[in-house]
């Protein structure tokens, strides 16, 4: 009896004799219990591996030999090598730097009234800062100019 497989490399269906196939059960543990998948394995004439998943009834009716599933090798874990100390040394002392005292912010000297007009400043878009507690500043006092 021939079994039909789909060859992915050739992109077509191929028929393999049952005597050239082997059957396998893939089992895994899930949260609801043991889950089993039944499959038939074969090799095509060009060396391509072929797999066909089948139901339990068809699996039981096949006369080809059953094999164990091949587990893929897991990558080895990296192991840190510990260096052996030849001689014991005294532990190094930790140097703690003290933070420099904060300097008081200098206030800009008050500007005197100037007769010349300052050139208009270009508007610069600023990113909106997250709102914090509102701090109200006292409005600046205007200096009245005396006319002569």
């Amino acid at each position: 009896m021939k079994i039909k497989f789909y060859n992915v490399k050739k992109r077509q269906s191929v028929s393999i004799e049952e005597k050239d196939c082997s059957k396998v059960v893939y089992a895994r543990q899930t949260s609801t219990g043991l889950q089993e998948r039944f499959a038939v394995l074969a090799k095509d004439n060009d060396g391509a591996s072929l797999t066909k998943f089948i139901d339990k009834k068809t699996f039981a009716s096949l006369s080809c030999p059953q094999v164990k599933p091949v587990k893929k090798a897991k990558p080895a874990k990296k192991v840190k090598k510990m260096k052996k100390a030849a001689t014991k040394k005294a532990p190094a002392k930790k140097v703690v730097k003290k933070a420099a005292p904060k300097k008081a912010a200098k206030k800009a000297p008050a500007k005197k009234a100037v007769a010349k007009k300052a050139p208009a400043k270009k508007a610069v878009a600023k990113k909106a800062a997250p709102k914090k507690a509102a701090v109200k500043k006292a409005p600046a006092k205007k200096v009245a100019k005396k006319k002569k």
Side-chain angles (χ1 to χ4, degrees):
M1 181 174 126
K2 290 191 172 190
I3 301 173
K4 271 194 169 181
F5 291 91
Y6 182 76
N7 189 329
V8 179
K9 288 183 180 178
K10 291 181 180 178
R11 296 184 182 176
Q12 61 185 5
S13 294
V14 292
S15 296
I16 307 289
E17 285 292 328
E18 188 177 337
K19 64 179 182 179
D20 298 330
C21 301
S22 57
K23 55 186 183 179
V24 64
V25 178
Y26 296 106
R28 68 179 184 145
Q29 188 65 37
T30 63
S31 60
T32 57
L34 186 68
Q35 185 182 52
E36 292 180 325
R37 297 275 187 234
F38 302 97
V40 181
L41 305 176
K43 290 271 188 190
D44 199 3
N45 56 3
D46 64 347
S49 295
L50 306 172
T51 304
K52 181 177 183 177
F53 291 95
I54 55 175
D55 61 348
K56 193 173 185 178
K57 187 177 179 183
T58 308
F59 183 84
S61 68
L62 292 176
S63 62
C64 53
Q66 186 171 346
V67 295
K68 291 184 179 180
V70 178
K71 291 188 179 181
K72 293 181 180 177
K74 293 181 181 178
K77 292 181 181 178
K78 292 182 180 178
V79 179
K80 293 182 180 178
K81 294 182 180 178
M82 303 205 44
K83 295 180 181 178
K84 293 182 181 179
T87 58
K88 291 185 180 179
K89 295 181 181 179
K93 292 182 181 178
K94 291 183 179 179
V95 178
V96 179
K97 292 183 180 179
K98 293 182 181 178
K102 293 182 180 179
K103 295 181 182 178
K106 292 183 181 179
K107 292 183 180 178
K111 292 183 179 179
K112 294 182 182 178
V114 181
K116 295 181 182 178
K117 288 187 176 180
K121 293 183 180 179
K122 293 181 181 178
V124 178
K126 294 182 179 179
K127 290 184 179 178
K131 293 184 179 181
K132 294 184 179 179
V135 177
K136 291 185 179 179
K137 294 183 180 178
K141 293 181 182 179
K142 294 183 179 179
V143 178
K145 294 181 184 178
K146 291 184 182 178
K147 293 185 180 179
K148 289 185 183 179

